[in-house]
C-alpha cells in the first residue's frame, strides 16, 4: 500500500529527529490536542473533543513507555505522566475544560525544559 505524500514527509522528518527533538514534538502535539479539545467542548463537538483528548492520552502513554529507568528523573516523570493520564481520563468522561486547563501547563513546561536541555547539549 502506498503512503500519501504527507505521511511520507512526516515519516522522513521523524527519522531525522534527535530523541530530544522527538520529545519536544510530542509535548507540543499534546498541548495542541488539549487546546483543540477545549475548543471542541466549547463548541459542543464532543466526538472531536474525545478524539483530541485520546490523542493527548496516547502521547502520554508513549512518553511513559519510553522512560529509561537508568535516569533518576524517570521515576518522577513516570508519576507525573500517570497523574496527567488519569486526569485526562476524568476530563474526557466529564468533558471538563478545567481539568484540561490544569494539564496543559505540564506539556508546556516539559516542552520548554527539554528545549532548553536540547540547546545546551552537544548534537
Amino acid at each position: 500500500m502506498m503512503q500519501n505524500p504527507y505521511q511520507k514527509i512526516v515519516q522522513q522528518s521523524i527519522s531525522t529527529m534527535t530523541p530530544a527533538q522527538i520529545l519536544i514534538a510530542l509535548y507540543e502535539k499534546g498541548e495542541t490536542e488539549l487546546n483543540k479539545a477545549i475548543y471542541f467542548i466549547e463548541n459542543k463537538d464532543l466526538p472531536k473533543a474525545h478524539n483530541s483528548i485520546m490523542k493527548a492520552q496516547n502521547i502520554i502513554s508513549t512518553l511513559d513507555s519510553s522512560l529509561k529507568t537508568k535516569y533518576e528523573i524517570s521515576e518522577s516523570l513516570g508519576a507525573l505522566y500517570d497523574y496527567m493520564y488519569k486526569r485526562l481520563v476524568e476530563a474526557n468522561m466529564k468533558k471538563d475544560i478545567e481539568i484540561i486547563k490544569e494539564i496543559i501547563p505540564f506539556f508546556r513546561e516539559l516542552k520548554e525544559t527539554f528545549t532548553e536541555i536540547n540547546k545546551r547539549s552537544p548534537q
Side-chain angles (χ1 to χ4, degrees):
M1 185 156 107
M2 277 186 56
Q3 279 185 321
N4 74 37
Y6 175 75
Q7 287 175 325
K8 189 173 181 178
I9 291 169
V10 169
Q11 190 172 15
Q12 286 173 341
S13 31
I14 290 172
S15 67
T16 61
M17 295 171 84
T18 66
Q21 289 170 327
I22 292 170
L23 275 177
I24 293 163
L26 286 169
Y27 291 132
E28 193 168 274
K29 180 68 173 168
E31 182 180 354
T32 299
E33 288 301 330
L34 293 181
N35 282 316
K36 285 169 48 176
I38 290 170
Y39 172 82
F40 292 137
I41 292 168
E42 289 173 341
N43 288 282
K44 311 289 187 242
D45 193 340
L46 301 186
K48 284 185 179 176
H50 169 80
N51 289 339
S52 286
I53 295 170
M54 290 299 299
K55 287 178 184 177
Q57 287 176 261
N58 289 338
I59 289 167
I60 292 169
S61 293
T62 300
L63 291 165
D64 189 51
S65 68
S66 71
L67 288 173
K68 306 234 184 312
T69 55
K70 66 181 180 179
Y71 298 114
E72 218 176 286
I73 193 169
S74 294
E75 189 175 328
S76 297
L77 280 173
L80 178 61
Y81 294 153
D82 186 52
Y83 173 78
M84 292 167 67
Y85 189 90
K86 288 177 181 175
R87 291 298 281 160
L88 289 179
V89 168
E90 183 179 353
N92 206 359
M93 289 172 36
K94 297 177 179 178
K95 299 301 182 265
D96 188 325
I97 290 173
E98 293 308 310
I99 296 173
I100 297 169
K101 286 181 179 178
E102 170 193 326
I103 300 303
I104 289 172
F106 291 117
F107 277 106
R108 186 176 305 123
E109 289 172 27
L110 288 165
K111 177 185 71 176
E112 290 169 2
T113 299
F114 280 95
T115 299
E116 192 58 37
I117 291 168
N118 193 40
K119 285 180 188 173
R120 295 178 186 190
S121 299
Q123 299 292 322

